[in-house]
């Protein structure tokens, strides 16, 4: 009797699970949106929209995999020419990928180029497993630990590639910290982020970071896309010796994402503000109600408010003070914990977008095969 009851309960649970999966497929999660531009020399945040709202990183995740790879190389635990084994877990990753097969080996350098140029999910997994004794789960914990050491306190990693996982989250501010840390801690390796193409096993592979190919002074870094994240991008560019880092989350397409990044960087280099409405429009979500108010230039911390706050920190101009925010820069030390600090009480513009998610809510939740993989 007890067994029959348990069996029926199991069937009910299974049926409910099937219904939940079906609903997920019919109503795919929607991405949130955010942007941030920071001065790489001073750490000053020049423009920020939803900078602390958690979103899915997609293939921006590989930036942390690359950070740990570069770190291992400089510590002598890996070498560029090392041949790493390909596990079944790595070979079975969904595209984009190098097409690695179980049992073959691949060099560290090819994995790095694969991650940067074509966002190879199998290459990212191979390196991650090599650094964590064969376990991608252990490597994900290493990634999260390193993120927190770098001051990325709102970031959790669950895999090496950025393939969909509902618990894998980050913020625009955190990704700017990682971008700056990569440039600061590995200046001799940063040039790899500008790689446009490479040859692998008789194939000529070309990248798709198209904005980097056309934007003057842009020399990296990484694209990302899943249905649950939207089109993401981290970029860095230099004009007249001044380096800026930009982050965009949740673009409705690669084209609108790239156009927004171009606008953000153009305006920041020219000491102009960018209207936060443009960030919402790039995500396909026009703002319907905007309230402007004077503030201190502080960006609202995720989870402390019931609405999402958008802050545009005005750049320094003659005649009045500017609100400044510091993001981890070279002043923080190589592997020290980064933190943000603001100073000044200028006329920062606060924009509140009503009706957004509250504490701990991630706009998009991806799992299973109902979502495109990290293909951009």
């Amino acid at each position: 009797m007890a067994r029959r009851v348990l069996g029926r309960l199991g069937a009910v649970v299974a049926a409910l699970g099937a219904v939940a999966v079906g609903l997920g497929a019919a109503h795919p999660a929607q991405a949130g949106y955010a942007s941030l531009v920071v001065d790489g020399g001073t750490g000053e945040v020049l423009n920020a929209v939803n900078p602390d709202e958690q979103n899915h990183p997609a293939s921006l995740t590989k930036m942390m995999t690359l950070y740990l790879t570069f770190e291992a190389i400089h510590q002598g635990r890996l070498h560029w020419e090392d041949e790493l084994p390909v596990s079944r877990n790595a070979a079975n990753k969904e595209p984009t990928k190098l097409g690695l097969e179980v049992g073959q080996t691949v060099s560290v350098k090819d994995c790095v180029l694969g991650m940067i140029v074509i966002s190879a999910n199998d290459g990212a997994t191979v390196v991650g497993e090599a650094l964590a004794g064969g376990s991608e789960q252990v490597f994900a914990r290493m990634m999260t630990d390193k993120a927190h050491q770098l001051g990325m306190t709102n970031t959790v990693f669950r895999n090496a590639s950025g393939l969909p996982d509902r618990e894998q989250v980050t913020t625009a501010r955190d990704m700017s910290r990682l971008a700056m840390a990569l440039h600061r801690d590995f200046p001799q390796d940063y040039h790899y982020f500008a790689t446009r193409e490479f040859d692998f096993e008789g194939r000529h592979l070309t990248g798709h970071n198209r904005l980097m190919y056309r934007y003057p002074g842009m020399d990296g870094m990484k694209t990302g896309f899943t249905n649950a994240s939207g089109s993401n991008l981290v970029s860095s560019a230099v004009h007249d010796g001044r380096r800026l880092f930009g982050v965009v989350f949740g673009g409705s397409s690669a084209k609108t994402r790239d156009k927004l990044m171009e606008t953000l960087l153009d305006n920041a280099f020219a000491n102009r503000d960018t209207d936060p409405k443009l960030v919402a429009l790039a995500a396909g979500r026009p703002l319907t109600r905007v309230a402007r108010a004077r503030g201190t230039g502080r960006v609202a911390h995720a989870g402390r408010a019931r609405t999402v706050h958008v802050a545009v920190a005005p750049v320094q101009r003659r005649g009045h003070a500017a609100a400044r925010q510091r993001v981890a820069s070279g002043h923080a030390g190589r592997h020290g914990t980064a933190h943000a600090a603001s100073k000044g009480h200028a006329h920062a513009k606060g924009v509140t977008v009503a009706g957004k998610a509250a504490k701990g809510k991630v706009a998009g939740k991806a799992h299973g095969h109902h979502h495109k993989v990290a293909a951009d």
Side-chain angles (χ1 to χ4, degrees), residues 13-329:
V13 171
L16 289 174
V19 171
V21 170
L23 288 174
H27 302 284
Q30 296 297 312
Y33 63 88
S35 69
L36 184 141
V37 179
V38 60
D39 188 304
T42 67
E44 181 181 357
V45 173
L46 305 177
N47 191 279
V49 175
N50 298 335
D52 299 305
E53 178 182 323
Q54 286 184 318
N55 289 292
H56 298 297
S59 279
L60 301 187
T61 299
K62 295 183 179 77
M63 292 170 61
M64 179 56 78
T65 301
L66 288 161
Y67 186 99
L68 291 175
T69 303
F70 294 153
E71 182 179 67
I73 289 170
H74 287 279
Q75 292 176 351
R77 293 182 288 116
L78 277 184
H79 303 87
W80 287 107
E81 66 277 9
D82 285 351
E83 291 286 323
L84 306 179
V86 178
S87 69
R88 187 170 302 279
N89 176 47
N92 288 341
K93 294 299 181 184
E94 296 182 72
T96 53
K97 59 197 296 184
L98 289 168
L100 304 175
E101 297 181 355
V102 179
Q104 79 169 97
T105 61
V106 60
S107 72
V108 171
K109 188 167 186 179
D110 280 339
C111 287
V112 166
L113 292 175
M115 282 187 272
I116 290 172
V117 176
I118 67 165
S119 203
N121 296 320
D122 49 0
T125 306
V126 166
V127 174
E129 290 177 340
L131 289 174
S135 171
E136 187 177 11
Q137 285 185 326
V138 172
F139 183 66
R141 289 196 292 270
M142 293 168 57
M143 296 168 73
T144 301
D145 289 345
K146 179 59 68 174
H148 294 172
Q149 290 175 28
L150 294 172
M152 301 168 64
T153 56
N154 289 313
T155 294
V156 175
F157 291 113
R158 291 298 187 219
N159 58 53
S161 62
L163 283 167
D165 188 304
R166 63 189 302 169
E167 295 181 350
Q168 186 154 257
V169 293
T170 189
T171 68
R173 190 189 305 280
D174 279 3
M175 290 311 301
S176 74
R177 286 173 172 151
L178 179 55
M180 295 172 72
L182 280 161
H183 183 264
R184 178 191 70 225
D185 296 345
F186 308 108
Q188 61 274 65
D189 302 316
Y190 178 78
H191 68 90
Y192 285 108
F193 285 102
T195 306
R196 300 187 181 192
E197 57 192 9
F198 78 111
D199 294 320
F200 178 73
E201 295 186 342
R203 291 174 288 150
H204 186 68
L205 304 178
T206 58
H208 42 240
N209 190 351
R210 295 178 181 83
L211 179 62
M212 183 178 70
Y213 307 155
R214 72 172 190 268
Y215 190 88
M218 188 172 289
D219 55 8
M221 300 184 63
K222 190 72 187 74
T223 62
F225 171 80
T226 64
N227 279 356
S229 71
S231 289
N232 301 340
L233 180 63
V234 174
S235 298
S236 184
V238 180
H239 286 183
D240 297 324
R242 183 190 186 198
R243 178 174 292 278
L244 300 182
F245 293 89
V247 181
V248 170
F249 274 105
S252 60
S253 68
K255 183 177 180 179
T256 58
R257 172 201 68 192
D258 291 353
K259 179 60 179 176
L260 174 61
M261 180 67 78
E262 188 173 12
T263 299
L264 288 166
L265 292 176
D266 281 349
N267 287 343
F269 278 121
N271 295 331
R272 296 189 302 261
D273 291 339
T274 297
D275 188 335
K277 289 183 180 180
L278 296 180
V279 182
L281 289 170
R285 300 186 190 180
L287 301 182
T288 57
R289 185 165 68 87
V290 177
R292 294 185 178 272
R294 294 183 182 272
T296 62
R298 295 180 183 273
V299 178
H301 191 280
R304 293 184 179 177
R306 292 298 177 183
T307 55
V308 172
H309 297 279
V310 180
V312 181
V315 295
Q316 187 71 39
R317 292 201 179 102
R318 295 178 184 177
H320 64 83
R324 295 186 178 183
Q325 291 182 305
R326 301 288 176 182
V327 175
S329 66

